[in-house]
Each structure stands twice: as structure tokens, then as C-alpha cells.
Amino acid sequence: MVHHDTMTGAEILLKALVDQGVDVIFGYPGGAVLPIYDELSKQNRIRHILVRHEQAAVHAAEGYARSTGKVGCVLVTSGPGATNAVTGLADAQCDSVPLVCLTGQVPTHLIGNDAFQEADITGITRPCTKHNYLVKDTNQLARTVHEAFHVARSGRPGPVLIDLPKDVVQNRGLYQPPSKTKSKYNPQVKGDIHAIEKAVDLIASAKRPVFYVGGGVINSGIAACQLLTQFVRMTGFPCTLTLMGLGAFPGSDPLFLGMLGMHGTVEANMAMHDCDVMINIGARFDDRVTGRLNAFSPNSKKIHIDIDPSSINKNVAVDLSIVGDCAHVIEDMIKVWKARQPKIDERALRAWWAKIEEWRGADSLRYPASDTIIKPQYAIQRLYDLTRSRNPYICTEVGQHQMWAAQHLRLDSPLHWLTSGGLGTMGYGLPAAMGVQTAHPDALVIDIAGESSIQMNIQEMATLVQHNLPVKIVILNNQYMGMVRQWQELIHGARYSESHMDHHPDFVKLAEAFGAVGLRAERPDQVDGVITEMLAVNRPVIVEMRTDASENVFPMIMPGMAHNEMVLGQEDRSRDNPGSEQDGMVLV
């Protein structure tokens, strides 16, 4: 006899997703999840985007999550479906992206029997998810889904996986609403007020201060970015952003020093090295920022604000730490600052800005212009100039083009820059752009790509066309895995082992084969024309820019070097191999 209040596991699952505000799922069906797909076909509250590969489903959910601030949702089948999603989960874990990934699993009585399409996905993904669950009882399903969404979005966000045996989604059970679900996971969001007061005193006493801001501020939300901008402008102090933090503070603001780190500006890295007070908000002292650790900002007092206690004192010892959500902590800092009206040493600050202007004078992002060959930096600058009035969402793949985009786009809005930072996943950009376009159907969404990275998930062109997602893909084709080639040139004696890509598809024909639009520019005087044509079409477009194959990304902190020892360009090669070539090789 069926209890009249019960539902099937599949019905419970979809009701729980709707109650969690899910309006789109990126997925790919298979045997273990057919009961869920059957239920999906009977409703219209949740849209399903059929991808062509499960890795792309996770990247698309990341794009959706990062451009909306909501939790992204993925549905894949057992075995190879679930293992194909692992790279995306690892990417979301590294970059703190809130996702819930639903994986099918063989029925509970077959688990551990090497059944068809069985993989121990909770075991496999334990190191690359924030948390994961194997549901064994249909009555526990709703509670598990609600808790998974809570864990994904709270504290330092991240991916959560729920493994769903086929019998659990077919059996009947009782639904439990979110209001009845209590979680033991409640991270601290308010910062310690005494620590905040101490931090304000320290900031006010600074003679050579710098704000060092990361993706945590963007994860905290638009309000956190607005509060950050307000606080930086109240102090008049310089601000630098990490790769993941771009857009948290307006890129066009005169207080902005540009991105810092391995390919950051001279003024950002030198200010970090020479500062006396460093205010780290939502960044994690990543190795691409610090350079050689024992030479990192040796004379500064360091304040670190982060929601994740395990990130504090992990890489760099700090003088003052505040655990909490950036928005709450900055808001309290502003209140304390206004109440105390601290006296800043204006003379010291003017001298500090004069020094920074000197570093800015190095014009470290300059590059040799050409009227015969398309310089990749020029292509990105023209793309920026011709699209900025539309405030586009910019996604990137991974490699040289990613660094040039980070250097030359002046991003004024949070949530509009999506790139794979921590894991550096080639193939991220196209599916991420797909997720962004799904969330923002009328927005301009651009994927800046390299010809090698784009081929990692090129099959998603079919998804763009099927779902009418007019993503614009701009490929900077330099015939090489550019970043690999650059490292081989600078560190491995110009031995270009397997980095030359001499068998490319014709990208224009490829676009057309998928039913999209293909365009090409081979000379600088064609760049504006193809960008304008690309923008005029309301369809997915691939633009192939044939760029200079020998161009490298500068400035560059060479591996094993301190962050104030930058190579500025080809001509600045006297400091190529400090120490030994071996040191450099280790730190790639």
C-alpha cells in the first residue's frame, strides 16, 4: 500500500531543487539517472541544458554560479559520467565556486560489486569536493539536498556532490522542506570587533599601505565589492587585485595598481614588496602572487581577512587575522573608521604615491606595435574598446591569452570576469560562457581563447547552437600551446618539445560545421571589422585571430625569483636564470 504523503525519490529530488531556487540544470543522461530524467520531462519549473560532455556540464554550472552568485547545479550518470565531472569539481574546489553535483549510482545492493557503470565516486571526489554524500535512504534524500546547498554556499563556497543510487530515486519516501532542515555547519561570518579595531589602527598608521584583494570579496557578493571600493576610496590607499579578484575594485579607478603576481604590473608587485602595511582581503597568498616565499614583502605588517580559518597563516605568517565574511568585516571597518576619524600621515602617503607613479612610469604592459602582424595584446585592447559599453561577461580559457586578457581588460564590475585560476583548466572558457549566457540570455558573453585550449571542449559548440546561446569566441591563434612554449623558451633552452600545434582545424569551417558563424582576421587592419561583424550577429560566433607566434607575456616573475625581481620583456633577459635552471624547472 502506498502512503498518500510519499513521493518517489526522483519527485523528492526535483521538489527539493525547486525549493532551493534551482531554475537550470546542466546535465547528460545515462542508465542510473533515467528515473530522474523521466521526472524532469513531466515538469517545466527547471530547465535542462544538454551538454556534450560531463566536464563541460560542471564548467557551465560554474559559469552560471559565478555570474549570478547562486549555486550551480549538475546532473550526470554513474561511472564514466561521474568520473568525467571530476576535473570540473576540482576546478570549482580550487576557485571556491558553489555547486551541487548530482551523480547517478548503481542500486545500493550492487555497490561494491563492480557492477556495470559503477565507480566509487564519493571516494574518488573526496579530495576535490567541499563535502560529499552517498544517499542510502529515500527518506533522507530531501534533507541531504537541502544541507548540500547550504554547505555549497556557506563559508568559503565550494562544490558538493550527492551520489544517488538508482533504487533510492525509485523508492518512495517523505519530503522534508528546507525550513525543517537544520545544519551543524554554520561558519563564522562576523569578524571579531577587537581585531577589527586593531586593524583600523594599523591601517591608519601606515606610511606605505597597499590593499591586496582576492576572489573572496567577489564570492562574498556585490555588496562586499561596493563596500571595498568605498573603504579604499575613503583611505586613498593603492589597491591591487589577484587574477580571481579582478572586478572587485573598478579597473579604471586611479587607485588601482593593476593585477599583481607572476604576470602582474611592476607597480602592483613593487608596492606589495615595499609596503609597510598590507591589507589582504579575501586572497590566499598564492604561490603565483608571492614569488619566492622567503623574499615576500619582508618589511610589512600583514592583515589577513578571510572566511576560511585554514587559509590564515598557511603560506605566509600574518600579524593580524580576522575570520569572517568580507562584506561584514569591511562594513564594520568602515563604521570604526568613521567613528574614529583617524589621522593618516598625508605626507608619507604622497611620497608613497610618488614612488608608485615612478613604477607606473615603467609602463610594464607595453608591447612592440605592428601594422603587419596581429599582436595578441592589440586584439584584446580592440575587443575591450569595441565592447565595453555593453559591459560584457568575459570568460577565458587558460594560457597566454588568459594573462593578456587579465592585464589589458579594465574590468569595472564584479561577476563579469570568469577564469580558471587555481586549477588552470584548459577547456574551461567555452562551457563557462555557456553557463553565463544561460543565466543572462540578453548579455554579451565573450570567451577569449587559445587555439589549443578551445579544442579541449570544442564539442560544446553544438550545445550553444541547440540552445540558441549566442556566445562569442575569440581565438588568439599563435600556432603554439603558448604558455608552454614561453616556459620552454625561457627555462628549457628554447627546446620546444610537443608545444607546436601545427595541425589545427580550419576554425571558420569548424564553426560552420556546428551551425555557427566563423570569421577570421589575419592582419591588424582586419581586427575591428571582424569584431564589429561578430557583435552584429545574434548567434554563436568563432573569430579566429592569427596572432604573433613569438609574443611572450611580460612582465614575468621568473620561477624561483622574488616578487620584486621582474623580467619586463625580451630585451630584459640579463636576469634570466637566477640560481640554477633546476630551481626554475621545479617551480613551473
Side-chain angles (χ1 to χ4, degrees), residues 366-427:
R366 74 185 186 282
Y367 58 93
S370 169
D371 51 11
T372 55
I373 192 162
I374 300 172
K375 291 288 184 177
Q377 303 94 322
Y378 174 76
I380 284 172
Q381 286 174 334
R382 293 313 298 145
L383 183 66
Y384 171 74
D385 287 337
L386 293 167
T387 60
R388 65 179 166 182
S389 62
R390 291 178 59 180
N391 196 16
Y393 288 87
I394 306 277
C395 302
T396 78
E397 305 289 336
V398 167
Q400 288 179 317
H401 63 274
Q402 174 191 28
M403 292 299 115
W404 284 314
Q407 289 175 336
H408 293 281
L409 298 172
R410 288 195 294 284
L411 298 145
D412 281 340
S413 306
L415 313 186
H416 282 249
W417 166 253
L418 297 95
T419 196
S420 172
L423 198 65
T425 308
M426 291 174 75

Side-chain angles (χ1 to χ4, degrees), residues 17 28 42 88 102 109 137 152 159 195 200 214 223 265 268 286 304 329 342 546:
L17 295 178
Y28 201 95
K42 299 175 192 170
L102 308 162
H109 68 276
D137 174 1
V200 165
T265 64
D286 177 73
H304 190 181
V329 175
R546 291 287 181 91

Side-chain angles (χ1 to χ4, degrees), residues 301-314:
K301 289 265 190 277
K302 298 172 185 72
I303 299 166
H304 190 181
I305 301 164
D306 207 296
I307 198 154
D308 176 14
S310 71
S311 289
I312 290 171
N313 291 322
K314 183 169 74 178

Side-chain angles (χ1 to χ4, degrees), residues 434-478:
M434 195 161 84
V436 177
Q437 193 79 76
T438 304
H440 308 276
D442 301 324
L444 173 60
V445 183
I446 300 169
D447 175 31
I448 297 175
E451 80 291 342
S452 306
S453 263
I454 196 68
Q455 293 184 67
M456 290 270 181
N457 274 315
I458 194 73
Q459 74 286 340
E460 297 310 315
M461 288 302 298
T463 312
L464 296 183
V465 173
Q466 178 188 341
H467 292 281
N468 303 313
L469 299 167
V471 169
K472 312 294 187 253
I473 297 153
V474 178
I475 299 174
L476 305 184
N477 183 354
N478 62 2

